Each structure stands twice: as structure tokens, then as C-alpha cells.
Amino acid sequence: MSYFTGLGKSSGFNKTTSPVMVPFKSLIQVEKGSPTPVFVQLSNQLGHLIHTGILVPGQRLPGTRQLADLLGLNRQTIVAAYDEGIAQGWLDSRAGSGTYVAAHFQEIKPISLTSDHVSDVPSKHNMADRQPGYFFETLDFLARPVLTNQSVLQLDDGFPDIRLAPMDELSRSYRSYFRWGNLRQHFGYSDTKGHALLREQLSIHLNETRGLRTTPENLLITRGSIMGLHLACQVILRPGDVVVTGATTWSGATVNVLKTGATVLTIPVDEHGIDVEKLAGYCEKQAIRLVYVTPHHHYPTTVTLRADRRSRLLQLAEQYGFAILEDDYDYDFHYLSRPILPLASADRQGMVVYVGSLTKSVAPAFRIGYVVAPTALIDELARLRRIIDRQGDPMLEFAIGQLFKTGDLKRHFRKTLRTYHTRRDYFCDLLTSELPDVIQFGKPDGGLAVWASFDPAIDMELLAERAAGEGLFLSSGTYHNPPGQRLNGTRLGFASSKEDELERSVAILKKLI
Amino acid sequence: MSYFTGLGKSSGFNKTTSPVMVPFKSLIQVEKGSPTPVFVQLSNQLGHLIHTGILVPGQRLPGTRQLADLLGLNRQTIVAAYDEGIAQGWLDSRAGSGTYVAAHFQEIKPISLTSDHVSDVPSKHNMADRQPGYFFETLDFLARPVLTNQSVLQLDDGFPDIRLAPMDELSRSYRSYFRWGNLRQHFGYSDTKGHALLREQLSIHLNETRGLRTTPENLLITRGSIMGLHLACQVILRPGDVVVTGATTWSGATVNVLKTGATVLTIPVDEHGIDVEKLAGYCEKQAIRLVYVTPHHHYPTTVTLRADRRSRLLQLAEQYGFAILEDDYDYDFHYLSRPILPLASADRQGMVVYVGSLTKSVAPAFRIGYVVAPTALIDELARLRRIIDRQGDPMLEFAIGQLFKTGDLKRHFRKTLRTYHTRRDYFCDLLTSELPDVIQFGKPDGGLAVWASFDPAIDMELLAERAAGEGLFLSSGTYHNPPGQRLNGTRLGFASSKEDELERSVAILKKLI
């Protein structure tokens, strides 16, 4: 195309030289049978002439009639092509004097297809800069895949057995949502607090099982309990606030506390849960804004907070004015005949923010969590959620609400409770008989995992790695270590495996230890 | 039950008085035919005796054999009931000396059923305290319902017509997800960055339509574009950073910027978009960390950023090292034949974070948004998301990915583009002919709404209220006003209404004005 070059450089093109001097007839070729409309072809080719410098800023184009004659096209086609160029900013129309290449035109060009991909270009902007430290290290840990799907066997963190989930019922609920009802209501923007059916049904369920006596107004549906923790921390905490947690605790909560700029103080955890007298000592010395607890089954060690400590914790909250963030992540699985009621059920002063989840009760993909709190706080949490993800998934929220209503979910809870109870007993017997000298554990009253302390001589990282080699997923548990401590313990989830799978898993551990 | 009282108060009960003195035979009544196991009935009744003060802390209980004889029950039943009490923390077992009411026992009691609901108790903890100001006012606005579902007619913010969405195809995709494949892979925890199929398909779509040449590694799937904005602001910004936006802009972005503690500077917006020379002036005087733009169709005024300003903006970013947060919320709807490429397509230095959404392209309930950025930033965004909601909805992500793959989604895009194009023309003609003197507007090149400036004599709040009374949803537009200004303009979404609905909507406006 060297014959264009001379034209682009000719001095005449920098002024308003008569446009007929540009050989448009040879430069522009349109195909009338093409699926691309002729005016688009024309506009594209004019654009090309400008972008390659053949037509230059300020250059006057031929009149529409003149170009139509030159190219043998309808004048309206030329008008449409020029209009397009004007709309796109590379042509200018001056009243009474015709159409020009825009004087201000400097095109942005996509990066050449042969150049390196943008992801390989080190960004000149330090957008992702970060400091080292516990916050980021833990964030890194959390961001790792939890479980390799390739693992045949798993002793996980305490996951449900997805094979037991009421998939047919859920699938039917989804289908009915697509089939029936008002399209705009079903698929338009919806309530940030969650689907009305789910809030109503969940409220009933919480009142029946936990003695909470909430109404739908006290409920915010979230995406898993972690979103409840995130929102609560973001709304309640400010930089410099002091938060108390157990020395062993769930890192997902700690990281969410640290993200707000608050400081974490820890208190010991023994076989009866957190040491509330140590907390009382802290309270005498400084203002505590919030205490994070998992009283029903302490995470990760599964112990239940003793009755007197529960009373004392509530009393301290009232006395010193701190909020209690009660994370009741697996309440629905308790193997004593009479469940222990949550702190929230005895909260007379609005001190408790109660966070729960259904992901452990159905399957992790069905990300439904919730927060129970005084209405004023629920409203604030929803306001914040509005700028994070606006709302949940109405299809999912409806489907779960529907399964509460039909009773399918309660039947599922009863069925899985029985199954997990049996698996707990079976697994604990196996651990006792097969690994008596290397593992210490207490039979958990509830939840989906056993907390096992391994003989200090065992290198847990190595054990986890070797177990993976044998097709068994096992967490090294280093993630449960408080900073500077080595517990050499890990959670062994029993609920997601059938008896024969538990047997094979323990056999692998026995072989490796 | 007054005959219990004396027993509770008898001095003998505070020591280890012989337990047979308590009339267990009259106090405890079990029903053998009941669905509640006998040991549970027994345990519940013992608990009741303790909670009501008849048995007191430190009180010794009868031996299991002794109580079995007294009650005519099997000894194992008594053992089970005692074990339950020990597990629940209100009984203690002392080696060799029997079972006692726990010395440390102070029960927490659920709030009485007759007392006021917790939501009505003013919290003693100021958990939801907040300061007044733009941040919270705007948050309040955003938290309001967008659209009353009762409205028959709507001139909304620019929503798609849900009636056109490929619901049957989506429903089928959901069903196939439930029916086929590995349960653990489908319903276990999944990749925080999004479903692999969707990332792969979306990457192809973005490359084909926007000249971005991303790979799945440059992509984070989010829940709507707002989550992309939220994550980007949280990762990139620190308190005190300076961010530049248009003087009119999307409040959802501004609020997310302010949430980080950053400061916002604004620059004028005219018919060619933001005033980049004003930005250049700011850059000379201070460090700018990020510039938020909606260059394809400026929100709310719909104008396209002119070509020379686009080049200049990118050049300034490279020169001064600020990040560009490019929000391309409705790219897929552009009515010129040749779309204008995003800034991100010309980003050679990794300065642009590109945020988009499919909610406007399918239906708001299908909350799929995405971020395109250098891999290092994508990794940081995903880490943060890990502690917010952990992951998206794999069912939804799969369904949308599947519809890309089958071509259904592209057919849908083409169909809606044609329909919305027609509706735009029809609506603009209506506005011109029916409301010539009271509304000023420019025909938008793209998007789903017209930006209309109303005669300053018209009270927009009142108009919106009266329109609602006539069954027409219309935003007052006050939410678009920069602090201290009154634009008296609003967005009139035309895409979600059929021609006859547009006619009826305009007729209502004409009647009211």
C-alpha cells in the first residue's frame, strides 16, 4: 500500500485542499453483497484512512453528494457513514461548510495483537501493594483451595456429606421459580435483606430450634456466615477498637476484625471454652468493643462453653458494654438430646449479634448464612451490603425457603443428624482402636469434626503431604496455630465420609504415622 | 407446686444430705409410650428441678442404681440421663463419690416468651452508630427499593426488559447442573475467582467484543459490577488517598470510594465526557491515586468520552501513575455500528482496572459482574473476596457460562440490541413530539436510558410522587445531584418498556407536567 504514503504526506492534506484530490475511488472499496451494511463498510474505511494518517486532522471531506457520485453510492449512505464518524468523534461537522476530520482527534489504539499480554506487563501502578504480617499471611492461607476435588478420601475441616443433600427437591424448587410468578418480581432487583419467604421460614426455624423469637425484621440473609461476620465487623468496629477472641479461633473472623483496623486480644481456651475471667480482667483495664465467640462448639477445638461461663459472658457484656459476636456455624448438628441454647436466646439488652449458616446443613455451594440482631443493626448491615453485592441470589433464597416450607429441609436435618451421629461414634471408635498412642481427642458433642492433637514428634505438614500422596485430604492444621505456638492439632471431619471411607482414611493415617 | 418450695429451702439441700430425702418419685414422672426417649424426659425433668432451684449447686444426686429402683426404671436410663446433664454442664461427676449438681452452675435463661421482643429493646451497645454526611445519606438512598414491583409502568434507571431474557435456556442449564457431573465438584466449595467455564467463555466474549485480549487469569467473576468496584476500592485505596470522579457520577462508586477513607475530587462533565484538562491540573498539584470513569456512556448523562480525551486520560495515567477504574456497565448496548473500544483495550502499562456486568444484559437477578486487570491485582481482589462471601454461586456461574457456549447468550444480545435500538428511537421521537418545551435531552448512542433535563420550574420530587400515583415509576433524579447543585434531571429508561408502554408513560408525564 505504498502508494498511499505520498498522499498522506502531501502538504495539501494539512489544509482544506479540494477533497477530490484524494483518490477515494481507489482507496475505498465497498462490497454490496456483504452482510456488513455498505455505510458501515464506508465508515470503517474512512476511519482506517484517518487512523493510518492518510486523512489528517482538519482535513475536509468531500460533500456527501460528491462522494456519492464518486463511489457510485446512494447519498443517504454517505450521510449515514459521516454521521457515524461524527458520533464516534473522529469527524466534525461545521455548519454550512461541510465535514472534516476532527481537529482534536487522537485515537487510542488497542495494544497490538502481537505484543505481550497486559497481564505480563508489570503494572506501573502499585495497585496491589501490601504489607507482610498476620493479616495477609492468613488471607493467603484462606485463599488456598480448601480441598482438592481429586481426593478420593477426605478428613476435612468439618464439611457435610453432599451426597445426602436434597438435590432433587432443590432442583424442583429452582424450576418452579423459573416457571411461575411475576417475571419482574422474580428476576428484577430484590430486597437486600433477602427473599421474604426465606426470612419468614428461617425466622420460624430459629425460633423453634434456638429459642430466639426473632421476626423477619431481625434477620439479614447473607452469603454464608462469613458475610455476616464481615458486615458486622465493618459496621461495629473502627480502627483502634479492641476485640477479644479465643487464643485458638477461626482465622476468617480474625482477619475480618483486623481488616477494620481493630486490635485483637486473645484469651485462653480450655475444655470448657474461653476463659471469661481473663476477659473480665481485660475489661477492667480497657474498653473492649466486641468479643467473638463460637460457644456451641468452639472452633477449632469443638468444646462447648460451660453454663456458668455463658452467664458470666453475658453479664460482662451488659456491665462493660461490649458486643458479643456469636458465631453458631454448626448449631443444627448436636448429638446430645437437649441442645444448648445460644447466648442470643438469653440476650436481654441487645448485646448479641448472632451469625449462622446453612452451608454446613445442605452443601457449601448453597451459600445461605444469616445474621440475627436488633433491627437497627440489621438495617445498617443491609446498607453496607448494598454497596458490596447489592443483594443475594433470589433463585437460591427462594429454593431454600421453599424447602423449609415443604418440610423437606427439616427431614433432611433429621436424616443427616442421625447419619453424622453414627459416623461420629464410628470414627471415634476407629481413632481409639487404631491410633491410640499418637492422637488425643475428646468425642465432640456436636459438629462435623473431631479436634485431634497429634504426638509432637509428628510433622503435620509432612503428614498432610504424604496423605495427599495416598489420596487422602488432611489439613496440616498449622492454620489453627495462634501466632508463635504449635498446637500440632487438626480437625478431622467425619461427616462427609461413609463408614468404609472413614476406615480407609484411618488406615492410611495408621500406615503413615 | 408450692409443696416443692420447702424442699428447695431446706438447709439440708445445701450440703450432701442423703439424696433420698428428695421425693424424686413424686417429682419425676416419665411416660413410657412417649416419642421422647425416657432418658431425655428424665434429664429434662432433672434440669427443670435445678433451674427452678429445687436442686441446688453442690447437691448430691442419688446413685444410679438407687434412683432406678425409686423410679422403677432401668439403671442404664439413669446413667444416660446423668451423662446428658454432665455433657450439658449442669451436673458434675466426682470420681468415686457420685453425681452432683454442678457447683459452677448458673443457667442462662432464654428471655421470657411474654417479654418484649429483642428488636424492641434499645441495645445497650451503640453497635450501629454513624455520623451524618454524604456517605450515609447516599447509602440511605441506595438502600431504598429501586422500583416498586406494583408499578405497571416504569421509566427506570436503565434496566433491561426481563420479558426478553432467555429464561427457558437458563432454567435448562440449572437443571443440567443439578443432574450431571460430580456432586462434590458441583456443590462443594469452589474457586473464589469464579467458575472455570464462565471465566473461559467470558474471556472469549470480551476479547471478541472489546479488543481486550484477556485470559481467564485476568478475570475475577463478581456479583454484579458493584462488587468489582467495592473490591477494587478496598484493595487500591487507603485513607487519605485522592480519587477523581466526574461531578455527576454514579453514587455507588462514590460511596465505595468514601468507605475506604479516601477523598473525592470532582471534575466537570460536558457533552464530550469528563474534563481531562481539569484532571491534568489536579495532577500537577497533588498525588492522585485513582480516577473513576464511565467513558463509554457516562453515568448518568450517557455521553461518550471523546477520542482525544480518552488518549489524554491514558497518557496522564502513565505520566502521573494513577489507576483508572473503568466502569463499562452497559457496553453491550451501543447503537452505532462500530462500538468504541474501552480504555482497557489500549492500556499498555497496566493502569486500567476494567469492571463490567451482565446484569443489564440478562436480568438483574442474575448477578454476574467481572473485573479485568493484571493478574497480580486479580489475585489480591480474590483474597479480599475470600473474607467477604468466599465465592459466587456456582449454579448461576455455570448456567451463564453454558449460555455463552451454546450461543444462546449472543443471540439474546443481538435480539435485545435490535429491540432496544427501536425502543430508543421510538421513545426519543415521543419525547420530542409530546414534551418539546419541558425536557431537554440528547439521543444516547448507547445504553438503556435517556438523560433528560427538566424545566427548572418543575419540582421533580413532586412529579415522581404524582407519577407513582398514576402507576408510573419515575426517579426524581435528586440522587444524581452533585452536593449543593440541582440538575433537575433524571434518567428515563426506555429499554424495559414496549412501545405501547412507552406511549402510556409519556402520556402520564404530559398530563402531569
Side-chain angles (χ1 to χ4, degrees):
Chain A
M1 306 231 268
S2 60
Y3 60 98
F4 290 169
T5 321
L7 290 173
K9 287 184 176 162
S10 114
S11 66
F13 278 90
N14 292 319
K15 304 289 173 187
T16 54
T17 315
S18 167
V20 278
M21 289 190 64
V22 181
F24 285 102
K25 207 174 154 58
S26 18
L27 292 179
I28 289 171
Q29 267 149 8
V30 297
E31 238 186 285
K32 291 199 179 168
S34 155
T36 309
V38 170
F39 87 94
V40 177
Q41 296 181 47
L42 179 55
S43 152
N44 284 348
Q45 292 186 39
L46 285 172
H48 182 74
L49 294 178
I50 293 171
H51 304 148
T52 50
I54 294 167
L55 294 174
V56 295
Q59 170 75 31
R60 185 175 171 211
L61 294 186
T64 50
R65 198 179 306 269
Q66 189 179 15
L67 190 58
D69 288 348
L70 259 174
L71 301 177
L73 296 171
N74 187 299
R75 188 179 155 231
Q76 283 314 309
T77 306
I78 312 294
V79 171
Y82 281 9
D83 280 353
E84 178 88 19
I86 291 164
Q88 294 197 9
W90 41 266
L91 292 182
D92 251 352
S93 158
R94 298 182 201 159
S97 90
T99 306
Y100 295 79
V101 176
H104 54 70
F105 182 74
Q106 297 172 268
E107 196 192 28
I108 61 163
K109 292 194 183 71
I111 303 158
S112 143
L113 281 168
T114 56
S115 75
D116 282 344
H117 189 274
V118 64
S119 67
D120 302 325
V121 180
S123 173
K124 271 189 77 174
H125 189 286
N126 55 345
M127 286 189 280
D129 58 348
R130 39 142 82 183
Q131 288 91 40
Y134 180 78
F135 174 76
F136 285 112
E137 280 165 30
T138 309
L139 209 50
D140 281 343
F141 182 88
L142 289 171
R144 293 199 309 194
V146 177
L147 191 62
T148 56
N149 287 309
Q150 286 70 39
S151 302
V152 180
L153 298 169
Q154 54 186 68
L155 292 172
D156 51 45
D157 191 58
F159 299 156
D161 190 340
I162 295 168
R163 294 167 293 194
L164 302 175
M167 291 302 172
D168 290 344
E169 292 81 355
L170 280 164
S171 180
R172 268 203 298 278
S173 280
Y174 269 89
R175 214 165 353 147
S176 77
Y177 192 81
F178 275 97
R179 273 204 197 151
W180 311 107
N182 179 301
L183 272 178
R184 248 190 223 171
Q185 267 183 355
H186 276 200
F187 300 104
Y189 288 106
S190 59
D191 193 336
T192 303
K193 291 183 188 171
H195 196 288
L197 175 68
L198 178 57
R199 287 167 72 202
E200 171 204 303
Q201 292 293 319
L202 184 60
S203 178
I204 295 169
H205 173 70
L206 296 178
N207 295 347
E208 285 177 359
T209 58
R210 288 155 170 84
L212 290 183
R213 287 159 308 105
T214 63
T215 69
E217 280 62 51
N218 296 118
L219 268 177
L220 174 73
I221 305 297
T222 57
R223 292 187 54 76
S225 57
I226 196 161
M227 183 183 261
L229 298 181
H230 180 78
L231 294 172
C233 288
Q234 288 288 324
V235 167
I236 298 174
L237 301 177
R238 298 284 174 275
D241 279 346
V242 179
V243 173
V244 175
T245 73
T248 64
T249 191
W250 189 49
S251 308
T254 308
V255 170
N256 262 314
V257 168
L258 294 174
K259 172 77 174 72
T260 69
T263 307
V264 173
L265 287 180
T266 61
I267 48 179
V269 180
D270 62 23
E271 68 274 28
H272 302 299
I274 54 165
D275 180 349
V276 286
E277 291 313 318
K278 180 87 179 171
L279 170 63
Y282 281 148
C283 288
E284 278 167 27
K285 279 178 258 157
Q286 63 206 296
I288 304 294
R289 178 84 179 150
L290 182 140
V291 175
Y292 170 77
V293 274
T294 47
H296 203 221
H297 309 127
H298 183 78
Y299 188 95
T301 63
T302 80
V303 298
T304 302
L305 190 61
R306 204 174 57 193
D308 59 320
R309 295 191 185 180
R310 300 163 84 81
S311 299
R312 178 73 166 140
L313 179 58
L314 278 170
Q315 178 260 313
L316 288 173
E318 292 187 15
Q319 181 179 348
Y320 291 103
F322 58 76
I324 297 174
L325 185 49
E326 180 175 25
D327 182 354
D328 212 2
Y329 59 102
D330 59 5
Y331 185 90
D332 287 313
F333 301 106
H334 199 77
Y335 310 118
L336 299 177
S337 53
R338 208 180 67 152
I340 287 153
L341 294 177
L343 296 171
S345 73
D347 175 25
R348 284 150 215 274
Q349 300 284 353
M351 312 310 284
V352 180
V353 181
Y354 181 81
V355 169
S357 174
L358 292 174
T359 58
K360 299 266 188 290
S361 307
V362 184
F366 300 98
R367 297 198 63 63
I368 298 287
Y370 50 87
V371 184
V372 180
T375 316
L377 183 67
I378 292 295
D379 288 347
E380 283 306 291
L381 301 179
R383 275 190 190 89
L384 175 59
R385 182 175 183 181
R386 182 62 185 74
I387 62 162
I388 295 178
D389 74 340
R390 202 198 179 289
Q391 66 180 67
D393 185 294
M395 290 78 83
L396 169 61
E397 292 179 358
F398 168 83
I400 299 286
Q402 182 78 351
L403 261 63
F404 266 121
K405 202 170 174 181
T406 58
D408 287 320
L409 213 47
K410 287 190 186 183
R411 273 188 290 281
H412 170 68
F413 289 169
R414 282 197 297 272
K415 179 179 79 174
T416 50
L417 185 65
R418 277 196 308 274
T419 306
Y420 297 162
H421 195 157
T422 308
R423 289 179 184 176
R424 177 198 66 162
D425 294 343
Y426 192 83
F427 184 59
C428 289
D429 288 350
L430 270 178
L431 289 181
T432 306
S433 64
E434 301 300 309
L435 300 165
D437 303 320
V438 287
I439 290 181
Q440 287 194 332
F441 71 96
K443 196 170 184 170
D445 290 338
L448 310 180
V450 165
W451 170 256
S453 299
F454 283 68
D455 185 308
I458 295 171
D459 178 336
M460 293 297 291
E461 290 279 3
L462 186 64
L463 178 64
E465 203 183 302
R466 293 176 61 201
E470 303 274 338
L472 167 65
F473 173 86
L474 172 81
S475 164
S476 70
T478 45
Y479 141 69
H480 302 303
N481 290 339
Q485 277 186 55
R486 177 175 177 251
L487 302 176
N488 224 42
T490 195
R491 283 166 67 90
L492 302 176
F494 54 78
S496 57
S497 301
K498 296 175 192 169
E499 277 87 339
D500 66 300
E501 292 165 335
L502 291 170
E503 253 174 57
R504 285 152 59 206
S505 299
V506 172
I508 290 172
L509 282 186
K510 190 176 180 179
K511 177 181 148 191
L512 293 177
I513 289 175
Chain B
M1 306 231 267
S2 58
Y3 62 96
F4 290 170
T5 321
L7 291 172
K9 287 185 175 161
S10 114
S11 65
F13 277 90
N14 292 319
K15 304 288 173 189
T16 55
T17 316
S18 165
V20 277
M21 289 190 65
V22 182
F24 284 102
K25 206 172 155 54
S26 18
L27 292 179
I28 289 172
Q29 267 148 9
V30 297
E31 237 185 285
K32 291 198 180 170
S34 155
T36 310
V38 171
F39 87 93
V40 177
Q41 296 181 48
L42 180 55
S43 151
N44 285 347
Q45 293 186 40
L46 285 172
H48 182 73
L49 294 178
I50 292 171
H51 303 150
T52 51
I54 295 167
L55 294 174
V56 296
Q59 169 74 31
R60 185 174 169 212
L61 294 186
T64 51
R65 198 178 309 270
Q66 191 179 11
L67 190 59
D69 288 348
L70 261 174
L71 300 178
L73 296 171
N74 187 300
R75 187 177 158 233
Q76 283 314 308
T77 306
I78 313 294
V79 171
Y82 281 10
D83 281 353
E84 179 87 17
I86 291 164
Q88 294 197 11
W90 41 267
L91 292 183
D92 250 353
S93 158
R94 297 182 203 159
S97 88
T99 306
Y100 294 78
V101 177
H104 53 72
F105 182 74
Q106 296 173 269
E107 195 192 25
I108 60 163
K109 292 194 182 70
I111 303 160
S112 143
L113 281 168
T114 56
S115 75
D116 281 344
H117 189 274
V118 64
S119 67
D120 302 324
V121 180
S123 174
K124 272 188 77 175
H125 190 286
N126 55 346
M127 286 188 281
D129 58 347
R130 40 141 82 184
Q131 287 90 40
Y134 180 77
F135 174 74
F136 285 112
E137 279 165 31
T138 309
L139 209 50
D140 282 343
F141 182 89
L142 289 172
R144 292 199 309 194
V146 177
L147 191 61
T148 56
N149 287 309
Q150 286 68 39
S151 303
V152 180
L153 298 170
Q154 55 186 69
L155 292 172
D156 52 44
D157 191 58
F159 299 157
D161 190 340
I162 296 169
R163 296 167 292 195
L164 303 175
M167 291 302 172
D168 291 344
E169 292 81 355
L170 280 164
S171 180
R172 268 203 298 278
S173 280
Y174 269 89
R175 215 167 350 150
S176 77
Y177 192 80
F178 275 97
R179 275 202 196 153
W180 311 107
N182 180 301
L183 272 178
R184 248 190 223 170
Q185 267 182 356
H186 276 199
F187 299 104
Y189 288 106
S190 60
D191 192 336
T192 303
K193 291 183 189 171
H195 195 289
L197 174 69
L198 178 57
R199 288 167 73 202
E200 171 204 303
Q201 291 293 320
L202 184 60
S203 178
I204 294 169
H205 173 70
L206 295 178
N207 294 348
E208 284 178 359
T209 58
R210 289 156 170 83
L212 289 183
R213 286 158 308 105
T214 63
T215 70
E217 279 63 51
N218 296 118
L219 266 178
L220 174 72
I221 305 299
T222 58
R223 292 187 53 77
S225 58
I226 197 161
M227 182 182 261
L229 298 181
H230 181 77
L231 294 172
C233 287
Q234 288 288 324
V235 166
I236 298 173
L237 301 177
R238 297 285 174 274
D241 280 346
V242 178
V243 173
V244 175
T245 73
T248 63
T249 190
W250 190 49
S251 307
T254 308
V255 171
N256 262 313
V257 168
L258 294 174
K259 173 78 175 71
T260 68
T263 307
V264 173
L265 287 180
T266 61
I267 48 179
V269 180
D270 62 22
E271 69 273 26
H272 301 299
I274 55 166
D275 180 349
V276 287
E277 291 313 320
K278 180 86 178 174
L279 169 64
Y282 281 148
C283 289
E284 278 168 25
K285 279 179 258 159
Q286 63 207 295
I288 304 294
R289 177 84 179 149
L290 182 138
V291 175
Y292 170 76
V293 274
T294 47
H296 202 221
H297 308 127
H298 183 78
Y299 188 95
T301 61
T302 80
V303 299
T304 303
L305 189 62
R306 205 174 56 193
D308 58 321
R309 296 192 185 179
R310 303 163 82 82
S311 299
R312 177 74 166 140
L313 179 58
L314 278 170
Q315 178 260 314
L316 288 172
E318 292 187 15
Q319 181 180 348
Y320 291 104
F322 59 78
I324 297 173
L325 183 50
E326 180 176 25
D327 181 354
D328 212 1
Y329 59 103
D330 61 3
Y331 185 90
D332 287 312
F333 301 105
H334 199 78
Y335 310 118
L336 300 178
S337 53
R338 209 181 66 154
I340 288 153
L341 294 178
L343 296 170
S345 73
D347 175 26
R348 285 151 215 270
Q349 301 283 352
M351 312 309 284
V352 180
V353 181
Y354 182 81
V355 168
S357 173
L358 292 173
T359 59
K360 298 266 188 291
S361 309
V362 184
F366 301 97
R367 297 198 62 64
I368 298 287
Y370 50 87
V371 183
V372 180
T375 316
L377 182 67
I378 291 295
D379 288 348
E380 283 305 292
L381 300 179
R383 276 190 189 88
L384 176 59
R385 182 175 183 181
R386 182 63 185 71
I387 62 162
I388 295 177
D389 75 339
R390 202 198 177 290
Q391 64 180 66
D393 184 293
M395 292 77 82
L396 169 62
E397 292 178 359
F398 168 83
I400 298 287
Q402 182 78 349
L403 261 61
F404 266 120
K405 201 169 173 182
T406 58
D408 287 320
L409 213 47
K410 287 189 188 184
R411 273 189 289 281
H412 170 68
F413 289 169
R414 281 197 297 272
K415 180 179 77 174
T416 50
L417 185 65
R418 276 196 308 273
T419 306
Y420 297 161
H421 195 155
T422 307
R423 290 181 183 175
R424 176 199 66 162
D425 293 344
Y426 191 82
F427 184 58
C428 289
D429 288 349
L430 270 177
L431 289 181
T432 306
S433 64
E434 301 299 310
L435 300 164
D437 303 319
V438 287
I439 290 180
Q440 287 194 330
F441 71 96
K443 196 171 186 169
D445 290 338
L448 310 180
V450 166
W451 170 256
S453 301
F454 284 67
D455 184 307
I458 295 171
D459 178 336
M460 293 299 290
E461 290 279 4
L462 187 64
L463 179 63
E465 204 183 300
R466 293 176 61 200
E470 302 275 337
L472 167 65
F473 173 86
L474 172 81
S475 164
S476 70
T478 44
Y479 139 71
H480 303 302
N481 290 339
Q485 276 186 56
R486 177 174 177 250
L487 300 175
N488 224 42
T490 195
R491 283 165 67 90
L492 302 175
F494 53 79
S496 57
S497 303
K498 296 176 191 168
E499 276 87 339
D500 67 301
E501 293 165 333
L502 291 170
E503 252 173 59
R504 284 152 59 206
S505 299
V506 172
I508 291 173
L509 283 186
K510 190 175 179 180
K511 177 182 150 190
L512 293 177
I513 289 175

